């Protein structure tokens, strides 16, 4: 079961209802998980005998994480030349290079022993490259009607599933290539009936009458609902194939036995490629055709572990919040019951958050940097929430290849206006209503995180270019990304900054003393609490993080966006509560420098995510080979945790700012 294809009184009210909202979301997503997903593309029907276009994607391997073009190896090429398929921006950024293939099917027309080509004798370069790709366990990814070819194998009463098939295999110090492919295409008859609803004269009943479309009768089409492949290594007779043309019949019957290998790869010898295809009518309907790819072993453990962690953390966070609010309310009640003389005496005798009333809103160090990071965090968090929400509804399903990355980029660009607004308004608030410098703040917001991303991705791109990988971003795409940055993101951020500069600033409820109060020495350094605070938000993530990492680096399809949305909402709540608690603790010991601490108390979850990424590299990606692959992994992980740090830190800062503002607005002063 999976959802999808198949983030003071008002504060009390908000956090008090958060747990109920999370419970409601869990029930709603679980309830609707039995079949609600959008397939990502419209059904395409083919009449019997119509040609089905078969495409190939980049060669991929979990050993190196470096995709390469299919035609970088000595494979057969199409008669009319290699043509790139229509790609979106997300596909290009993910390293997908979809091209036409020499394989050709006709709807519901079984074909066997089809000769594709005989390659030229393998040169030393091609021979060594083919052996290297086989050692690195590269997979061939064939696509039919947007469905990747799926391969089944049985092991110890378990049915294992892979997308794609290996280039070849190494056995007894020899290399064998899979040169015969046995395809199975599952099809479902296209059903189209015109429905006429006839209402009786009394209007009490209605009959449904199905009328056949005469123009389509006898010529019903078929839809592709499954695509399977069995790779075989077959030794062909070179004498029989030297005069054959593409798509001719191989003179002898080709026996496909996946348990044996026969086609040994040798230098200066050609390779003959053949295939067969069989069409099987299936009961699988169009909306369910991706179910085979989305089935996950141990699904029940996945759901119940996620749900259990959500409920436990929500319960603990609720207890912490109740204790906190009761403590604050008791302090306020005691403080307000005293007269002015007693309050002054209390201020002299007692320590606590009340003593920092004249310093709590003192301008923090590096205020512009803080505003910039908060603005970028709002932009990243908004992008994540909106993208995951639409993905949970199925609009960015795995069937729509590349749309998830394209959607993230689109929403990030659009939300630049929110980033500029929040950053400039916070800057204006810190400066007491003076909005001078808002253009500099807006420019820094537009360039801070994108600049970091550009630096990391450009460095990694040079490594990919040096490896001749399709994962490298072409120069033309680099120019497109720069144009999107400076022609869309920057103007929108400046627009948001202008709106923020015109908006009224948030007035502080208390005055700030001219001389700052000395912060009492602490028993333990405050940074230890700040770093340790990230463990609780990490507890909401680590289970789901494993599946996300497996999707990114192990080639598995991630589709449980409904649960991911719940985890994101819970993460926002927990980050807000953790930052709020630590801010209160710092104020109680007379530490009024809460601005940056509130940001990093929740943002420190990024440290644990990066450590988890290193742990995943060491223990789960043990087969990852080469310094280039490890550098790419760590580079992308650094990019990811930087975005998470900004987003979670922003949640913590905004929640603490609201809490401190509410707390000190309740204190009566002369």
């Amino acid at each position: 079961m999976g959802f999808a294809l198949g983030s003071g009184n008002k504060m009390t009210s908000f956090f008090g209802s958060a747990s109920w909202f999370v419970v409601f979301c869990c029930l709603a997503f679980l309830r609707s998980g039995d079949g609600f997903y959008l397939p990502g593309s419209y059904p395409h029907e083919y009449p019997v005998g119509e040609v089905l276009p078969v495409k190939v994607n980049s060669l991929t391997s979990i050993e190196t994480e470096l995709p390469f073009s299919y035609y970088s190896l000595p494979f057969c090429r199409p008669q009319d030349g290699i043509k790139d398929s229509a790609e979106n921006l997300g596909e290009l950024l993910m390293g997908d290079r979809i091209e036409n293939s020499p394989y050709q099917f006709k709807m519901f027309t079984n074909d066997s022993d089809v000769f594709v080509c005989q390659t030229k004798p393998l040169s030393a370069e091609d021979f060594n490259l083919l052996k290297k790709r086989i050692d690195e366990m590269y997979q061939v990814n064939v696509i039919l009607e947007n469905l990747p070819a799926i391969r089944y194998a049985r092991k110890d009463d378990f049915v294992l599933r892979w997308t794609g098939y290996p280039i070849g295999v190494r056995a007894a110090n020899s290399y064998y290539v899979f040169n015969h492919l046995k395809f199975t295409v599952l099809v479902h008859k296209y059903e189209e009936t015109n429905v006429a609803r006839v209402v009786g004269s009394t209007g009490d009943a209605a009959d449904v009458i199905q009328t056949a479309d005469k123009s389509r009768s006898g010529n019903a089409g078929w839809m592709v609902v499954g695509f399977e492949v069995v790779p075989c290594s077959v030794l062909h007779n070179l004498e029989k194939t030297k005069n054959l043309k593409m798509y001719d019949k191989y003179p002898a019957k080709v026996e496909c036995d996946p348990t044996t290998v026969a086609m040994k790869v040798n230098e200066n010898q050609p390779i003959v490629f053949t295939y067969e295809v069989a069409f099987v009518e299936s009961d699988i309907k169009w909306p369910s055709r991706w179910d085979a790819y989305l089935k996950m072993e141990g699904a029940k453990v996945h759901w119940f572990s996620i749900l259990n962690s959500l409920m436990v953390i929500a319960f603990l966070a609720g207890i912490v919040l109740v204790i906190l609010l009761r403590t604050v309310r008791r302090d306020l009640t005691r403080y307000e019951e005293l007269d002015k003389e007693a309050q002054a005496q209390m201020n002299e005798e007692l320590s606590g958050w009340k003593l920092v009333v004249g310093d709590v809103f003192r301008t923090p160090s590096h205020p512009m940097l803080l505003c910039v990071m908060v603005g970028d965090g709002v932009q990243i968090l908004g992008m994540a929430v909106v993208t995951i929400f639409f993905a949970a509804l199925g609009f960015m399903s795995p069937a729509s290849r590349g749309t998830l990355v394209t959607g993230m980029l689109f929403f990030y660009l659009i939300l630049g206006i929110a980033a500029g607004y929040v950053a400039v308004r916070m800057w204006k608030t810190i400066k007491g209503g003076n909005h001078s410098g808002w253009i500099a703040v807006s420019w820094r917001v537009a360039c801070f995180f994108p600049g970091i991303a550009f630096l990391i991705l450009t460095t990694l791109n040079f490594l990919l270019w040096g490896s001749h990988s399709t994962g490298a971003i072409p120069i033309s795409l680099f120019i497109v990304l720069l144009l999107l940055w400076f022609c869309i993101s920057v103007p929108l951020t400046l627009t948001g900054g202008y709106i923020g500069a015109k908006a009224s600033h948030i007035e502080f409820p208390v005055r700030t003393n001219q001389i700052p109060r000395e912060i009492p020495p602490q028993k333990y350094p405050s940074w230890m609490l700040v770093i340790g605070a990230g463990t609780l938000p990490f507890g909401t993530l680590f289970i789901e993080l494993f599946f996300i990492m497996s999707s990114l680096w192990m080639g598995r399809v991630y589709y449980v966006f409904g649960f991911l949305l719940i985890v994101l909402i819970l993460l926002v709540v927990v980050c807000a509560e953790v930052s709020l608690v630590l801010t209160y603790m710092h104020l109680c010991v007379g530490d009024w420098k809460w601005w940056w601490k509130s940001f990093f108390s929740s943002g420190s979850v990024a440290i644990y995510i990066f450590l988890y990424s290193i742990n995943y590299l060491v223990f789960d990606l043990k087969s990852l080979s080469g310094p280039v692959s490890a550098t790419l992994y760590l580079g992308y992980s650094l990019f990811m945790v930087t975005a998470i740090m900004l987003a979670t830190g922003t949640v913590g800062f905004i929640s603490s700012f609201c809490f401190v503002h509410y707390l000190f607005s309740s204190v009566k002063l002369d």
Side-chain angles (χ1 to χ4, degrees), residues 266-428:
N266 293 310
E267 190 175 347
N268 296 322
Q269 286 191 3
I271 302 175
V272 175
F273 288 91
T274 56
Y275 74 92
E276 59 184 282
V277 59
F279 287 81
V280 178
E281 186 172 359
S282 172
D283 293 332
I284 300 174
K285 296 186 178 181
W286 177 270
S288 303
R289 68 183 196 143
W290 271 85
D291 289 356
Y293 303 86
L294 305 182
K295 290 178 181 177
M296 193 181 337
E297 304 298 334
K300 290 185 179 179
V301 176
H302 176 80
W303 307 141
F304 284 114
S305 62
I306 291 290
L307 189 60
N308 180 67
S309 63
L310 292 175
M311 293 299 102
V312 169
I313 294 174
F315 178 71
L316 292 176
I319 292 177
V320 171
L321 188 60
V322 168
I323 294 174
L324 176 64
L325 292 179
R326 289 185 61 183
T327 303
V328 172
R329 192 171 297 277
R330 185 175 66 248
D331 285 350
L332 284 175
T333 302
R334 289 177 54 197
Y335 191 79
E336 291 176 355
E337 286 176 352
L338 301 174
D339 56 23
K340 294 180 180 179
E341 185 177 344
Q343 286 181 9
Q345 182 179 357
M346 184 178 178
N347 287 343
E348 294 176 0
E349 295 177 354
L350 298 179
S351 62
W353 59 269
K354 298 170 286 295
L355 296 182
V356 298
V357 65
D359 299 276
V360 68
F361 291 108
R362 188 175 300 280
T363 301
S365 59
H366 309 292
M368 183 174 289
L369 179 60
L370 178 63
C371 295
V372 167
M373 294 176 71
V374 170
D376 279 328
V378 168
Q379 189 174 7
I380 295 169
L381 182 64
M383 174 204 68
V385 172
V386 177
T387 303
I388 295 174
F389 175 76
F390 279 105
L393 294 179
F395 292 103
M396 299 177 185
S397 68
S400 304
R401 190 176 290 103
T403 55
L404 184 65
V405 176
T406 305
M408 291 174 66
L409 186 60
F410 172 77
F411 291 128
Y412 180 83
L413 294 173
I414 296 301
L415 287 170
I417 192 168
Y421 173 82
V422 172
V424 170
R425 192 173 184 204
M426 182 57 63
W427 169 258
K428 186 177 179 180

Side-chain angles (χ1 to χ4, degrees), residues 18-67:
S19 298
W20 290 106
F21 179 71
V22 170
V23 173
F24 172 77
C25 286
C26 290
L27 295 176
F29 280 113
L30 287 173
R31 178 72 176 172
S32 58
D34 293 327
F36 175 72
Y37 89 95
L38 300 177
S41 59
Y42 62 91
H44 191 173
E45 56 164 322
Y46 295 89
V48 174
E50 184 173 342
V51 175
L52 298 177
V54 183
K55 302 177 182 179
V56 288
N57 202 346
S58 301
L59 305 173
T60 55
S61 170
I62 61 173
E63 296 278 331
T64 65
E65 303 296 347
L66 295 172

